[in-house]
Amino acid sequence: MKHIHNIGLAAFALTTTLSSCTTHQNSNKAERPNIILIMADDMGFSDIGCYGGEIQTPNLDGLAKTGVRYSQFYNAARCCPTRASLMTGVYPHQAGMGWMTNCDMGTPAYQGDLSKNAATIAEVLKTAGYNTYMTGKWHLSNTRKDKGMVKDNWPVQRGFEHYFGLVGGAGNYFKLPIYSNNEKYQSPDNFYLTNAISDSSAMFIGEHFKTNPDSPMFMYVAYTSPHWPLHALEKDIEKYKNVYNVGWDEIRERRLKKQVELGFWDDQPDLSPRDGVVPSWDALKPVEKKDFARRMAIYAAQVDAMDQGIGRIVSKLRELGQLDNTIIFFLADNGGCAEYISSGKSKDLEGNLEATFESYRINWANASNTPFREYKHWVHEGGVRTPLIVHWPEGISASMEDGFVRNYGHLTDIMATCVELSGAHFPDTINGNPIVPMQGSSLVPHFTGQKNGRGPIFWEHEANIGMRDGVWKLVAKTPENKTFNTKRLELYNIEEDPTELNNLAGKYPEKLGEMYAEWKIWAEKVGVYPMDTRDYGERSRAYQQKINGEFDLNYGDWDINNPDGKAEFLIDQNSKISGKNSAFIKISKEKGKASLIWGFPSGDYNQFEVSFKSVASCDTKLVVRFEKMGKSNSEGLKYEFPLSAKESTFSFISNSIDQPGRYRLIFEVDNVPVNEKVWLDNIELTPVELM
């Protein structure tokens, strides 16, 4: 990989992923358009120029100028749920993604892994003769599985013939693991993720029409831009170095004014008040103003770089004579992100950005979502309303160009639109798995100024709930670690009050009750209950207590300590002990130690029972430690278990935990003869007693 430079990794990916490109013979691209679906990550409603922003986005503005913009299109408030719903045409819970990929919460709706009972757009369109491509962020496979390189829910396994991007959710834009089809690589020097996504997309387009000129293509371009960390190229940041010195209060006013000038609102809505935790710009010290202006300049540069890349995608289509017969969708996965992120080696945003890992904070997220309130995570308009630009010269009537679709729509409508345009048959089953029916309505009627009969839309994320039905919206915000309470239900007439400032719950209690009753029917249908309000960290910690002891997910979430290369850590898939997989440790050197480590939080428990099965190719021993992280080995519990060629079951009870915290379970091989082997399986970590 040392010879690959700049964005050359994208070209490398193209070479590897297109080597087995298949030509479909049963398609007619003249009748069916190419479909390109582009998604931004954590971008607010008003950031791009054609939605009121000051960020320079001439390519997206150009698509809007000769296409249509939606003034009321909805996502699912968070990255994983939105991506699952977008890809499958069903609600997030029906696709297994009611929450995030970092844990399986024990029900099908919250398994954190794309359901096999949901079909992806790529799986459906392949049956209609489309070649399928993806670039960018996937984030639909359980994180533990990803770490174990279990690939059953990676893009290629879910219908995409060619893939280049990152399987997980976020990372350093300059240096991160990158994936080409099912292979994992380290990004090369002089790499910038946004450019690599753009250029690999353009190259996929070029190679497709060179190799398969008679087949339509579907491509999903999932940018990480402008998701944290704040990483951009200095040449792009330079454009905005003075733009944000005016502060967020002025930017919010300007954006709303521009939206009115663009025709978004028949009557100018009231600008939602500045968030109560955000100070006025004038109240900041000069050093604070400088820091925050720099943060927003970097964020703007991230959006700018994405727009430049979209320009290269559009130029490639135009160069090949394919632009008129290609429908392009552009949208965002949720509203602006208010998360406070600060975890890099450096905090110097004027220096080497590669060493930083920062966010632009709630202060600027409030401006990104102008004129709405709330953010990513929540289902008020600031969290769920997204820009949607649709460009299709051959399919959008001239009277609609540079205009607005006033009817509201939802992520699930994208699948229905793709099915209609492709002529595909939406399947009842895939690989023997029954498939949840589409939940959306095709957007095609909107392209000629007609209605599409769109019914109610529903939401639930972290017990933040909502429903849109006609002009009415039911919504409730639930604080973290608090129980959902119907007293928090709010009711708005969104046509009259798009910024949700006039709660009508007290004025129309019957309407509120009717909508909540309908929401509960939907919630029961898709598996919302029980609603979980624990924060991200608490859910993740609880999942870490569920040990991957059967090694079904290979070594996912296990740490391997093998400093002197004494051992090879493999997975034996020959049912050596009980399940299909077992940990397989092969000794290659006489000296040194090697170990498997499982880290977990003790939570509210003060003792754990540990049990496991093991077998070896010779008489030897296995050392097992149970200890608090950060403590020396002498302070923990240590057992030595004799191993032989006969399978044995072992167990022990940990010492009492006097302080909650992070602990680790260590399985250590030591002084095992060269070429001998040890197998481990059925490791169980069971809480015994509450504190």
Side-chain angles (χ1 to χ4, degrees), residues 215-285:
S215 297
M217 71 178 298
F218 167 67
M219 184 164 66
Y220 174 35
V221 182
Y223 285 101
T224 57
S225 176
H227 191 291
W228 47 258
L230 292 171
H231 283 170
L233 303 177
E234 194 60 42
K235 71 177 181 65
D236 296 325
I237 301 172
E238 184 70 15
K239 301 178 188 178
Y240 302 97
K241 65 178 183 179
N242 297 318
V243 171
Y244 297 104
N245 293 337
V246 298
W248 41 72
D249 295 315
E250 178 65 22
I251 290 297
R252 294 183 79 223
E253 294 283 353
R254 291 180 184 181
R255 288 187 176 190
L256 178 55
K257 180 180 178 182
K258 185 177 176 181
Q259 288 174 354
V260 173
E261 292 170 351
L262 289 169
F264 267 92
W265 314 107
D266 294 328
D267 296 310
Q268 179 171 330
D270 292 330
L271 180 64
S272 62
R274 182 193 333 113
D275 193 295
V277 304
V278 178
S280 72
W281 183 258
D282 290 341
L284 298 183
K285 298 175 182 178

Side-chain angles (χ1 to χ4, degrees), residues 50-51 61 63-71 262-264 388-390 396-406 446:
C50 56
Y51 274 76
D61 298 350
L63 292 176
K65 186 74 175 175
T66 51
V68 295
R69 279 165 288 179
Y70 279 71
S71 59
L262 289 169
F264 267 92
L388 175 64
I389 299 169
V390 184
I396 296 175
S397 66
S399 63
M400 291 295 296
E401 288 185 6
D402 196 23
F404 296 92
V405 175
R406 302 294 185 187
H446 292 164

Side-chain angles (χ1 to χ4, degrees), residues 40 51 196 199 210 249 279 326 336 339 386 402 503 526 596 608 631:
Y51 274 76
D199 293 325
K210 177 182 176 181
D249 295 315
T326 298
E339 295 165 356
T386 171
D402 196 23
N503 181 9
V526 304
L596 270 178
F608 289 83
K631 298 288 185 179

Side-chain angles (χ1 to χ4, degrees), residues 142-313:
N142 177 272
T143 303
R144 185 177 290 179
K145 291 172 65 175
D146 294 344
K147 291 177 181 177
M149 297 295 284
V150 178
K151 307 171 184 178
D152 65 311
N153 258 337
W154 286 14
V156 170
Q157 281 67 36
R158 295 309 305 260
F160 290 97
E161 298 166 84
H162 315 293
Y163 172 63
F164 170 80
L166 68 162
V167 172
N172 190 308
Y173 282 67
F174 302 106
K175 191 173 184 64
L176 78 166
I178 209 76
Y179 298 79
S180 176
N181 281 354
N182 287 328
E183 299 303 316
K184 180 179 179 181
Y185 305 93
Q186 184 59 45
S187 58
D189 294 338
N190 303 314
F191 179 87
Y192 184 61
L193 180 57
T194 303
N195 286 347
I197 292 171
S198 300
D199 293 325
S200 56
S201 300
M203 285 189 288
F204 277 149
I205 292 168
E207 193 64 24
H208 169 81
F209 289 108
K210 177 182 176 181
T211 309
N212 298 295
D214 296 323
S215 297
M217 71 178 298
F218 167 67
M219 184 164 66
Y220 174 35
V221 182
Y223 285 101
T224 57
S225 176
H227 191 291
W228 47 258
L230 292 171
H231 283 170
L233 303 177
E234 194 60 42
K235 71 177 181 65
D236 296 325
I237 301 172
E238 184 70 15
K239 301 178 188 178
Y240 302 97
K241 65 178 183 179
N242 297 318
V243 171
Y244 297 104
N245 293 337
V246 298
W248 41 72
D249 295 315
E250 178 65 22
I251 290 297
R252 294 183 79 223
E253 294 283 353
R254 291 180 184 181
R255 288 187 176 190
L256 178 55
K257 180 180 178 182
K258 185 177 176 181
Q259 288 174 354
V260 173
E261 292 170 351
L262 289 169
F264 267 92
W265 314 107
D266 294 328
D267 296 310
Q268 179 171 330
D270 292 330
L271 180 64
S272 62
R274 182 193 333 113
D275 193 295
V277 304
V278 178
S280 72
W281 183 258
D282 290 341
L284 298 183
K285 298 175 182 178
V287 66
E288 293 173 318
K289 289 181 178 180
K290 181 180 178 181
D291 174 71
F292 273 112
R294 176 70 174 179
R295 289 177 188 274
M296 188 60 191
I298 299 170
Y299 175 92
Q302 290 177 286
V303 175
D304 191 312
M306 175 180 64
D307 182 79
Q308 293 174 45
I310 291 170
R312 294 195 290 277
I313 293 170

